[in-house]
Amino acid sequence: MNLPDKYGRWACVAGAAEGLGAAFAYSLAKRGMNLILVDKNKEQLESTAKALRDSYKTNILEVVEDLSDEHSAEVIMKYVAEKDCRFLVYNAAYGPVMPFLSNSEFDLDLYLSVNNRTLLLLVYKFIKQPTSSRKGILLISSLAGFRGTQLVVPYAATKAFTWNLAEGLHYEFRDKELDISVLCPGTIDTPAFRSTDPKKTWLTPNPMPPSEVSEVALKYFGRRLFIIPGRVNRFAFWLFQRVLPRKMASKIHNDAMGDLYADRS
């Protein structure tokens, strides 16, 4: 698929400063797209944007915005409308690893505001934005979102919201000028993942490089509703969703999570 031919020359990546979001920025720039990059980390966002400008002949708008703010979707949409941007990647997420009761009420609000509220409002406004041409939306969920997961209970619950949202929109808009896919990765070798200090266990696959995940996502965007990068992840998804009883699959999944973060439980 030629993304610029189908969705225009501009793409917006929310949560773009580092990790998977930055990888999406590179993958899109490589495909000839100009970028609206959104993140609250001003210094890292500027660094990523400079590296992109040095590597590709692409126009970049840097939008320093905290996606937990109730008006952030409205702010982003001003830039989207200005550039007639028709491709959106919502990568931003809040997801620390800790027991449920170790979260503060402020933490609980961050899960909802970053992972769900701003996502929902931005998708709503993006779809509603008048245009005569086709749009694309790529949402980022997680394999953790397909079952309750200890130590990331609110995060996993919000990621279940994400894939359900994408699935519903896919069927509601499948005969209209909108393509939507949802990326459901396993562990990714990002600064955020490394900062959780996970233990190596025989049940957990090696985290995937962010660049590999972004390339797989864009390769299959619009062709698959659920995009699961990595053979091991696809096998685990098939085994847990299609073969094993849910109770058994959830126990294996949660036991692996407990081993990964044995010092947190």
Side-chain angles (χ1 to χ4, degrees):
M1 182 191 301
N2 190 311
L3 292 176
D5 285 349
K6 195 165 188 178
Y7 305 111
R9 302 295 300 185
W10 284 89
C12 177
V13 182
E18 63 181 10
L20 183 58
F24 272 116
Y26 276 92
S27 291
L28 289 164
K30 186 170 69 173
R31 288 164 171 78
M33 300 194 80
N34 301 315
L35 301 167
I36 302 169
L37 302 183
V38 184
D39 207 284
K40 68 177 183 179
N41 188 332
K42 184 176 186 293
E43 184 177 337
Q44 186 60 50
L45 184 65
E46 290 175 346
S47 175
T48 296
K50 181 182 184 304
L52 281 163
R53 291 189 183 99
D54 290 344
S55 299
Y56 301 97
K57 294 179 179 179
T58 186
N59 295 315
I60 299 175
L61 283 178
E62 300 158 44
V63 181
V64 180
E65 184 67 23
D66 187 341
L67 291 165
S68 69
D69 187 274
E70 62 179 316
H71 301 296
S72 58
E74 186 177 333
V75 171
I76 295 167
M77 282 305 300
K78 290 179 182 178
Y79 296 96
V80 167
E82 176 188 315
K83 297 299 182 182
D84 189 30
C85 173
R86 294 187 280 110
F87 192 80
L88 171 66
V89 179
Y90 195 93
N91 172 70
Y94 181 69
V97 178
M98 60 176 135
F100 180 68
L101 292 180
S102 294
N103 288 280
S104 66
E105 292 186 11
F106 179 76
D107 288 317
L108 297 179
D109 187 66
L110 281 178
Y111 292 108
L112 294 173
S113 58
V114 177
N115 300 5
N116 291 164
R117 186 189 68 212
T118 297
L119 164 65
L120 187 61
L121 285 171
L122 186 57
V123 166
Y124 174 81
K125 292 175 182 292
F126 186 83
I127 295 175
K128 201 174 182 181
Q129 180 76 14
T131 178
S132 59
S133 303
R134 199 165 193 88
K135 299 174 184 175
I137 299 175
L138 175 61
L139 302 184
I140 315 302
S141 182
S142 168
L143 289 181
F146 287 92
R147 61 198 65 254
T149 306
Q150 66 169 324
L151 302 179
V152 289
V153 173
Y155 170 80
T158 59
K159 287 303 180 179
F161 174 95
T162 302
W163 71 255
N164 273 279
L165 175 65
E167 187 173 32
L169 291 174
H170 167 76
Y171 286 103
E172 188 166 323
F173 287 91
R174 59 183 169 179
D175 297 323
K176 300 179 175 65
E177 291 289 294
L178 176 70
D179 297 317
I180 186 162
S181 292
V182 56
L183 177 68
C184 302
T187 55
I188 306 174
D189 188 19
T190 63
F193 176 71
R194 291 194 295 272
S195 71
T196 67
D197 192 25
K199 305 293 185 292
K200 179 64 179 174
T201 75
W202 69 274
L203 272 176
T204 53
N206 291 326
M208 293 182 67
S211 58
E212 185 177 340
V213 175
S214 65
E215 286 296 317
V216 169
L218 295 180
K219 176 181 179 179
Y220 291 106
F221 176 80
R223 296 161 55 190
R224 296 180 183 175
L225 170 56
F226 293 97
I227 302 171
I228 301 173
R231 292 181 181 178
V232 173
N233 290 329
R234 287 192 294 274
F235 174 76
F237 180 81
W238 170 81
L239 182 67
F240 284 13
Q241 294 296 114
R242 304 286 181 86
V243 179
L244 298 178
R246 183 173 181 88
K247 183 177 180 180
M248 181 184 295
S250 293
K251 183 180 185 304
I252 295 171
H253 174 79
N254 276 279
D255 285 351
M257 188 67 176
D259 291 341
L260 197 63
Y261 297 104
D263 58 338
R264 312 291 175 87
S265 51

